[in-house]
Amino acid sequence: MKDALQDIVVRLKDNQYKNEEHIRLGVVYRLLRELDWDIWNPQEVFTEFQAIRREDATRVDVALFLNPLLRRPDVFIEVKALGRLMPVQLLDAAEIQLRNYNRDNQAAISILTDGRYWRFYLSNASGEFSRRWFEQIDLLDVELSMGDAELTLDAFLSKAAIRSGMAEEDAKKYLKRTDVERIMFDALPVAQRDAEDDPAISLVDCFLT
């Protein structure tokens, strides 16, 4: 896995992936194979899956099935061309796609990726879909080690983690952590304002109150 990730990073830096199909084949499928999914089995790794039965033109780029006979998807992966998850307007539109895919056929884990950015969602969590993400990685982040990237992908996308249910259980724990971080982030501007209004009170005290 680490060798594959390192090679993908080199190709990302060289801008070798020119379109969405390059990302799907050269990045997503490559990593799925490393994570023990049978990419040659179209019933297990189902491309262009019709998640919304009433809309013929709507397809999930990749749907993963542990048991194809049940026809219940375990993972949805929506793939974009490199750079098509930023700015935020593009991310918002992609999240709406994922939300809609999960209306009729809910997958345990949903993923958005453009090869570089990977964002993981717990599909059955409550609240707005945009707030259901629990982990994200940037393969070009200089502070991200290939070991950390490998651990994240293995924890939430490997066939073993999905089959055991650990991916979903860990996702719930991560989502709780992310919710706390969001609350802290939302509270920070208020704490800064209160600290400026009353210099006798420290920013930490304002934040805690």
Side-chain angles (χ1 to χ4, degrees):
M1 166 73 86
K2 196 171 295 184
D3 289 343
L5 281 169
Q6 289 173 339
D7 185 66
I8 287 168
V9 166
V10 169
R11 296 179 189 278
L12 286 170
K13 289 179 177 178
D14 289 344
N15 198 31
Q16 293 184 23
Y17 303 110
K18 300 298 184 182
N19 52 51
E20 182 180 310
E21 194 66 8
H22 286 178
I23 297 298
R24 180 157 63 177
L25 296 177
V27 180
V28 175
Y29 265 45
R30 185 175 182 181
L31 293 177
L32 287 176
R33 188 179 185 187
E34 294 285 336
L35 294 165
D36 294 328
W37 293 96
D38 183 0
I39 63 172
W40 310 121
N41 180 355
Q43 291 186 310
E44 181 171 303
V45 181
F46 196 132
T47 59
E48 299 299 315
F49 174 70
Q50 186 179 1
I52 305 175
R53 301 184 185 92
R54 299 179 300 277
E55 298 179 19
D56 292 340
T58 303
R59 299 286 190 276
V60 181
D61 289 312
V62 182
L64 303 180
F65 291 84
L66 289 173
N67 188 341
L69 295 178
L70 294 179
R71 307 310 304 145
R72 185 177 66 241
D74 294 282
V75 179
F76 283 155
I77 306 175
E78 181 64 16
V79 183
K80 301 298 181 184
L82 183 61
R84 299 300 296 174
L85 282 184
M86 299 294 170
V88 69
Q89 294 92 333
L90 296 175
L91 177 61
D92 289 345
E95 287 180 332
I96 290 172
Q97 278 186 284
L98 271 187
R99 180 200 66 192
N100 291 341
Y101 293 154
N102 280 282
R103 283 189 315 209
D104 294 340
N105 288 280
Q106 192 173 80
I109 303 291
S110 294
I111 299 169
L112 282 177
T113 184
D114 66 350
R116 172 181 177 173
Y117 295 105
W118 292 73
R119 182 174 272 208
F120 299 79
Y121 299 79
L122 182 61
S123 306
N124 64 4
S126 60
E128 292 293 326
F129 194 89
S130 61
R131 298 182 72 86
R132 298 181 194 178
W133 71 268
F134 59 86
E135 182 64 304
Q136 59 185 355
I137 55 176
D138 173 2
L139 293 183
L140 295 187
D141 185 346
V142 295
E143 297 183 0
L144 177 71
S145 71
M146 289 301 96
D148 288 341
E150 182 179 5
L151 287 173
T152 297
L153 290 167
D154 187 68
F156 300 114
L157 188 52
S158 71
K159 191 173 182 178
I162 298 295
R163 185 185 297 282
S164 68
M166 287 304 299
E168 190 171 358
E169 288 304 309
D170 286 343
K172 292 175 183 177
K173 297 174 186 176
Y174 274 55
L175 187 59
K176 287 181 180 179
R177 178 206 65 185
T178 306
D179 284 341
V180 171
E181 290 176 351
R182 288 192 184 107
I183 292 170
M184 294 173 67
F185 182 81
D186 291 342
L188 183 57
V190 177
Q192 290 174 326
R193 183 199 62 203
D194 291 346
E196 291 171 358
D197 290 343
D198 189 350
I201 305 176
S202 71
L203 177 59
V204 173
D205 288 337
C206 291
F207 189 77
L208 292 175
T209 57

